[in-house]
Amino acid sequence: GDMADSLTDAAFGRTFCNPDALAESQKKLRHDLRTPINAIKGYGEMLLEDLEDFEDGEPLRADFQKLLQEANRLLSRLYAIFDDGRSAAPTAFAVPDEVAVAAEAARAITGRILVVDDIEDNREVLSRRLEREGHTATTASGGREALDLLKQQRLDLVLLDVMMPEMDGFQVLAEIKADVDLREIPVIMISAADEMDQVIKCIEGGAEDFLAKPFDPVLLRARIGACLEKKQWRDSQRDYLDRMVEAMDRVERGQLDVRLETTGSDVYANLYSGFNLMVEGLSEEAQILDIAQTLSGELNIDTLLQRIMAATTQLLDADRSTLFIYSKKTDELWSRIAEGMETKEIRVPATSGIAGEVFQSGEKANISDPYNYPAFNPEVDLRTGYKTESILCMPITNKEGATVGVTEVLNKRDGVFTGRDEDRLGAFTSQIAITLENAQLFDDVLNMKNYNESILKSTSNGLITIDTEHRIVTANDVVLGMLDLAEAAIVDQPVGDVFTGDNAWIADIVAKVERTGEPDISVDTDLQLADGKSVSMNLTVVALIDIDDEPIGSMLIIEDISNEKRVRTTMARYMSKEVADELLAGGEDELSGKNQHASILFSDIRNFTSMSEALGAREMVGLLNEYFADMVDVILEYGGVLDKYIGDSIMALFGVPFGGAEDADDAVRVANQMMVALRGLNRRRIAGGHPPLNIGVGISTGEVVAGSIGSPKRMEYTVIGDTVNLASRLESANKFYGTNILIGASTVGELTTDTRTREIDLIRVKGKKEPVEVFEVLDHHIEATFANLERTLEAYDNGLAAYRERDWQAAMSPFEAALSANPFDTPSQIYLGCAEANLKTPPPDDWDGVWILTQK
């Protein structure tokens, strides 16, 4: 309908009837009209073939044949109307027998084929036909997408449409044939326009073949099969040569363990045999050549250290080795690789141990009995179970003679390290210094590059860089959002075309800064947007110069100082986003302090102090970051507010600053989900060879005082009160009861959803007179974490009821039943022990069953 309407448009008529553009216009129109007809034919032919698979489909055959006949008639009419004297209407023709035979043979040859056409119907028809033939079809809607796919995927053939917008088939073909990695991929050009000059142009451009639309399925199959068969033959020959080239290249790099498998008796088998004999003759030089190659070309310092240590271990036939690098900043020797050990990074003082001794003296150390050597520290062996029997330690010096590191090799496999080992390691370490310095320099440059890119992405200011031709080179996401423009609309555009009208003064300032070299600052000015709105901003324009002090352009720094952002930026320095939002909505009085009903959650990692003593600083920080990331995600998912981290503890608020009907429910949901998330974290830790974590969670609900607390220079929005203290005490009480989640009776009373809990005890916390009922939350448990939960709870409840009635004998049996169902249920163990003790020594008559919690 859209195409038919366009034919009646006056502008189209003027173009179409223009004598200078008549031929080209007619050709384009004929192509555009033929395209949908070709799609109808393609679908019709496939549907006609599909009838063979359906018993009831035969009555439809005549209809489909008529559809194809009418499509051919319509195509003929189009050719008659738009005949330019060089092409004729397509006619049905009989495919020669040899072509049909070739097409049938081609069915056995399948491949990965890329279909490139800007019309979706054409792509779908051709792709479906290819899939029916057993091929794997990939599609692209344009030339640039096709080139990207060819570079990303391994493809065997390209079916390329000639007429496409932006980048036509000839241009795509030219780029394919110009690319050394793509030129061997065969291309069959396909077009609804079949003029001879186009066919010639396709073949001259490097295409394997040309097919005019609509194409005959048998002919298409035959030509695809021929192309794929030729490519397979070429690939086979190239594979022989590539393997030889690859093997020779590996030999040149010192990898003398390469062998080429010989099969048959052809010229390649003889060539491979000769190559293998040559490599075997070089075996005595293999180790030295391998070491030299290991050092060359590698700039990633982690990979370099790994390769150096692997080569050192192999060279000296040792058990393991470590390369220590000296850090001037910390006066330490550090290593990111320690072969055969879990530790990924170790740091020791530059004066510590054998490595420190060698580093300070600059003299090698060959120790055959480390345990009797004064500088040797056996604690690492005791901790890891490893037995150090011999050590060879060698200083690494740079070209200035300064010691920059130490190589330490442990446990010669066939005895002790010899003088020959010392010479080999000495020669090796003489090559390490320059390579390490280059890698460290590259690492520093890469870190700086990543640092600069991170600044560009994370900065809240808009940044635009401009070259000496006054064209915009880069624009970060902030400025694109500020101007409401796509990157393509601003990058590579003249600055005068982007900043026009009321914003034209910006281009004038850029020219001024380029001319004078002096920065220009415009404070609290307006940037007019296309929608009529404006942005208050501070604009700084500075000149950019290279290392030779030559100008390379200029940079615009746009700071958005619109009122709301100005307030938010100021407030974000000392309070959370939630509090900032509330202040903006309600004013400063909202922060002055007020009573609020809330649920407070505390969580803490069990035995973290002892765990941290066994961890290095880096590993401990990494562990906390991973743990906090999982836990905070859960808190935020259920609308909680992260108040603060206290070491390895977390304090979260529910109902502050905004209260809700399900604050207590959300706090309990978070506690349950924290335990679920912990199980996932522990699975990752156990898989990595690390011990699992355990946490305790305490929740209390009640009145708190919420507000800004601190000095005038540094304020913190938080909550205080007995409810906060109780939540902290409940979290700590988990350690005594062997539980994970404890909540107070006030929290239980406000739950609106069914939650599985059991009463644990009556406790009186430090500083409080009235006892508090304490409950354990159990919804997070699975069979693996709490066996026979129902049986255990039923017996436990019976025991607790008898215990509260002071019937110690009657209480013991249910608690024993609970422990029979789950021997690890600590509350049942505690009450059983108390019942036995009370049976022997009854408590006084005023006993109320309250446990006094004296510890925090």
Side-chain angles (χ1 to χ4, degrees):
D2 294 339
M3 187 175 296
D5 291 341
S6 68
L7 298 177
T8 64
D9 184 77
F12 173 81
R14 288 193 298 272
T15 302
F16 185 75
C17 297
N18 185 350
D20 295 332
L22 181 59
E24 191 64 29
S25 299
Q26 289 184 348
K27 181 165 57 176
K28 183 179 184 304
L29 180 58
R30 185 182 65 188
H31 171 272
D32 292 346
L33 292 173
R34 287 178 60 191
T35 296
I37 301 174
N38 289 339
I40 293 172
K41 284 195 61 180
Y43 281 116
E45 289 170 352
M46 286 194 294
L47 291 172
L48 196 58
E49 293 176 3
D50 288 340
L51 292 181
E52 302 294 337
D53 300 328
F54 295 95
E55 296 180 359
D56 299 330
E58 193 59 30
L60 298 175
R61 180 177 299 277
D63 293 333
F64 284 132
Q65 289 175 338
K66 184 176 180 180
L67 173 67
L68 295 177
Q69 290 172 357
E70 292 301 323
N72 281 328
R73 287 182 57 194
L74 186 53
L75 285 172
S76 298
R77 290 290 300 151
L78 290 177
Y79 270 90
I81 295 172
F82 298 112
D83 186 9
D84 60 2
R86 294 183 299 161
S87 59
T91 58
F93 61 91
V95 177
D97 290 342
E98 58 270 21
V99 175
V101 171
E104 288 303 316
R107 285 182 181 272
I109 303 175
T110 60
R112 299 171 296 273
I113 302 176
L114 175 61
V115 178
V116 187
D117 199 310
D118 60 307
I119 298 174
E120 183 179 2
D121 287 343
N122 292 350
R123 295 195 303 272
E124 182 180 358
V125 170
L126 191 48
S127 299
R128 290 179 59 185
R129 179 168 292 282
L130 293 172
E131 297 286 352
R132 288 162 59 94
E133 298 293 338
H135 302 289
T136 300
T138 303
T139 64
S141 61
R144 185 55 55 194
E145 181 184 1
L147 292 170
D148 290 341
L149 287 172
L150 287 169
K151 293 175 182 177
Q152 297 168 6
Q153 301 182 19
R154 183 179 176 184
L155 298 165
D156 300 317
L157 176 63
V158 181
L159 301 182
L160 179 59
D161 186 34
V162 172
M163 298 184 68
M164 294 186 295
E166 296 183 3
M167 189 177 192
D168 64 25
F170 297 119
Q171 294 172 302
V172 178
L173 177 63
E175 290 208 23
I176 291 174
K177 297 306 175 182
D179 192 318
V180 67
D181 296 324
L182 306 179
R183 64 176 57 168
E184 297 299 329
I185 300 176
V187 179
I188 297 178
M189 306 295 288
I190 296 179
S191 178
D194 57 355
E195 291 81 2
M196 184 55 66
D197 59 341
Q198 288 202 9
V199 178
I200 295 172
K201 187 175 180 180
C202 290
I203 301 303
E204 289 178 344
E208 295 289 327
D209 213 330
F210 181 94
L211 282 173
K213 300 177 185 176
F215 40 76
D216 184 273
V218 178
L219 184 60
L220 173 68
R221 185 185 307 144
R223 292 188 176 178
I224 288 176
C227 285
L228 291 176
E229 184 177 15
K230 183 187 294 185
K231 185 175 187 300
Q232 286 182 3
W233 182 85
R234 285 202 305 258
D235 288 348
S236 174
Q237 301 304 309
R238 186 173 299 279
D239 182 59
Y240 277 118
L241 294 175
D242 287 346
R243 275 186 283 168
M244 172 62 75
V245 170
E246 179 188 7
M248 294 181 67
D249 183 59
R250 291 173 62 185
V251 169
E252 289 179 359
R253 298 198 307 269
Q255 300 177 17
L256 299 181
D257 58 341
V258 61
R259 292 294 184 272
L260 292 174
E261 182 180 357
T262 58
T263 56
S265 58
D266 58 11
V267 63
Y268 289 106
N270 295 333
L271 185 61
Y272 281 11
S273 297
F275 174 82
N276 291 337
L277 291 174
M278 177 192 70
V279 174
E280 290 172 2
L282 298 175
S283 59
E284 292 183 359
E285 304 296 328
Q287 286 184 311
I288 301 300
L289 201 58
D290 184 45
I291 293 173
Q293 187 60 38
T294 298
L295 296 176
S296 64
E298 182 58 66
L299 292 177
N300 181 283
I301 192 164
D302 287 339
T303 303
L304 178 64
L305 291 177
Q306 198 169 21
R307 293 174 65 185
I308 288 175
M309 291 303 95
T312 304
T313 303
Q314 180 182 3
L315 175 66
L316 298 186
D317 192 24
D319 190 16
R320 63 179 61 169
S321 59
T322 305
L323 173 62
F324 291 97
I325 302 174
Y326 177 62
S327 170
K328 290 183 180 180
K329 183 177 180 180
T330 62
D331 194 28
E332 291 177 322
L333 294 172
W334 64 270
S335 178
R336 290 197 185 125
I337 303 296
E339 287 189 356
M341 300 174 65
E342 290 184 357
T343 304
K344 296 301 180 183
E345 177 168 319
I346 53 178
R347 287 182 174 268
V348 297
T351 57
S352 174
I354 296 175
E357 182 181 88
V358 170
F359 177 78
Q360 296 295 328
S361 67
E363 299 292 332
K364 65 179 180 291
N366 189 346
I367 304 168
S368 58
D369 187 8
Y371 281 84
N372 289 321
Y373 193 83
F376 178 70
N377 183 359
E379 291 183 2
V380 175
D381 280 8
L382 294 174
R383 188 169 65 251
T384 63
Y386 184 78
K387 178 66 180 297
T388 303
E389 298 176 347
S390 58
I391 300 176
L392 178 58
C393 193
M394 189 77 64
I396 304 172
T397 57
N398 60 18
K399 59 185 178 181
E400 285 80 22
T403 304
V404 296
V406 172
T407 302
E408 189 174 71
V409 191
L410 305 182
N411 290 5
K412 179 78 172 179
R413 294 186 186 279
D414 57 356
V416 297
F417 294 104
T418 64
R420 183 166 179 264
D421 292 326
E422 294 178 11
D423 293 339
R424 298 172 79 184
L425 185 57
F428 182 42
T429 56
S430 67
Q431 303 178 54
I432 292 176
I434 296 177
T435 304
L436 281 177
E437 288 181 330
N438 290 340
Q440 285 182 295
L441 178 61
F442 177 78
D443 199 40
D444 291 341
V445 171
L446 186 61
N447 287 336
M448 182 58 67
K449 175 179 178 293
N450 293 336
Y451 179 73
N452 290 336
E453 290 180 352
S454 177
I455 291 176
L456 186 65
K457 284 186 173 295
S458 61
T459 182
S460 60
N461 292 335
L463 298 177
I464 297 175
T465 58
I466 303 168
D467 62 18
T468 54
E469 301 297 325
H470 289 189
R471 286 187 173 272
I472 294 176
V473 179
T474 62
N476 68 350
D477 294 340
V478 175
V479 80
L480 294 176
M482 193 181 300
L483 299 175
D484 194 22
L485 292 174
E487 186 176 11
I490 184 171
V491 173
D492 202 33
Q493 300 299 315
V495 66
D497 291 352
V498 174
F499 296 103
T500 59
D502 293 336
N503 298 325
W505 59 274
I506 296 178
D508 295 336
I509 291 180
V510 170
K512 172 189 170 184
V513 170
E514 184 185 72
R515 185 172 60 256
T516 64
E518 298 295 327
D520 185 279
I521 301 175
S522 302
V523 178
D524 200 5
T525 186
D526 289 336
L527 177 66
Q528 301 300 323
L529 304 180
D531 60 2
K533 298 180 181 179
S534 64
V535 173
S536 297
M537 66 172 183
N538 292 333
L539 174 66
T540 302
V541 183
V542 296
L544 298 177
I545 58 174
D546 61 16
I547 58 174
D548 298 321
D549 288 334
E550 294 294 327
I552 57 175
S554 54
M555 180 168 65
L556 277 65
I557 306 170
I558 304 175
E559 180 185 8
D560 185 349
I561 56 170
S562 300
N563 290 336
E564 183 174 343
K565 182 176 180 180
R566 184 186 298 136
V567 173
R568 288 179 185 274
T569 302
T570 302
M571 294 167 57
R573 298 174 183 172
Y574 62 92
M575 64 183 65
S576 68
K577 176 182 180 299
E578 291 79 9
V579 179
D581 289 340
E582 183 178 6
L583 177 60
L584 288 173
E588 294 185 8
D589 290 341
E590 294 291 332
L591 300 180
S592 60
K594 61 181 179 180
N595 292 326
Q596 191 137 349
H597 193 78
S599 291
I600 311 301
L601 178 148
F602 275 85
S603 72
D604 183 73
I605 299 177
R606 294 287 171 259
N607 302 318
F608 187 77
T609 301
S610 59
M611 185 185 303
S612 63
E613 292 175 354
L615 295 174
R618 186 183 297 273
E619 287 187 327
M620 182 173 64
V621 171
L623 167 61
L624 283 177
N625 286 340
E626 185 179 13
Y627 166 76
F628 285 147
D630 286 358
M631 298 302 110
V632 172
D633 283 347
V634 173
I635 293 171
L636 298 180
E637 180 182 353
Y638 289 93
V641 175
L642 177 64
D643 183 87
K644 61 174 68 69
Y645 301 112
I646 310 170
D648 59 303
S649 300
I650 296 174
M651 177 179 172
L653 317 177
F654 298 83
V656 176
F658 307 106
E662 294 187 0
D663 291 333
D665 296 274
D666 288 336
V668 172
R669 291 186 188 108
V670 166
N672 279 313
Q673 286 304 310
M674 288 175 76
M675 299 306 303
V676 174
L678 182 67
R679 288 201 293 268
L681 173 62
N682 282 335
R683 283 194 293 270
R684 299 196 301 271
R685 289 184 55 77
I686 292 171
H690 304 292
L693 302 179
N694 190 23
I695 66 173
V697 181
I699 300 172
S700 177
T701 302
E703 294 297 316
V704 297
V705 176
S708 293
I709 298 175
S711 72
K713 293 183 178 179
R714 176 62 179 173
M715 306 292 287
E716 180 183 23
Y717 184 89
T718 187
V719 296
I720 57 176
D722 289 341
T723 300
V724 179
N725 297 333
L726 178 58
S728 177
R729 302 294 189 273
L730 292 178
E731 178 277 317
S732 181
N734 281 292
K735 290 180 284 188
F736 176 81
Y737 291 110
T739 55
N740 290 109
I741 305 173
L742 290 179
I743 64 176
S746 59
T747 302
V748 174
E750 294 194 17
L751 295 177
T752 62
T753 57
D754 290 336
T755 302
R756 184 189 297 271
T757 62
R758 67 166 164 177
E759 183 179 357
I760 291 296
D761 209 345
L762 286 168
I763 66 173
R764 183 180 292 114
V765 300
K766 185 176 182 181
K768 295 286 290 184
K769 294 182 179 180
E770 294 300 322
V772 177
E773 288 183 276
V774 179
F775 296 81
E776 180 186 10
V777 177
L778 301 163
D779 284 334
H780 62 91
H781 278 300
I782 57 177
E783 183 65 21
T785 61
F786 198 122
N788 302 313
L789 178 62
E790 297 294 344
R791 287 170 49 200
T792 303
L793 294 186
E794 182 179 358
Y796 172 89
D797 289 340
N798 293 334
L800 183 60
Y803 184 89
R804 292 283 166 78
E805 295 295 328
R806 301 173 62 101
D807 191 348
W808 320 119
Q809 186 68 47
M812 292 171 60
S813 179
F815 286 131
E816 288 172 348
L819 289 173
S820 176
N822 184 356
F824 303 102
D825 186 38
T826 303
S828 295
Q829 294 173 355
I830 293 173
Y831 275 112
L832 179 59
C834 291
E836 291 173 345
N838 290 342
L839 185 62
K840 295 178 180 178
T841 307
D845 293 336
D846 61 347
W847 176 82
D848 58 2
V850 175
W851 175 53
I852 300 176
L853 181 63
T854 59
Q855 296 180 343
K856 294 185 178 180

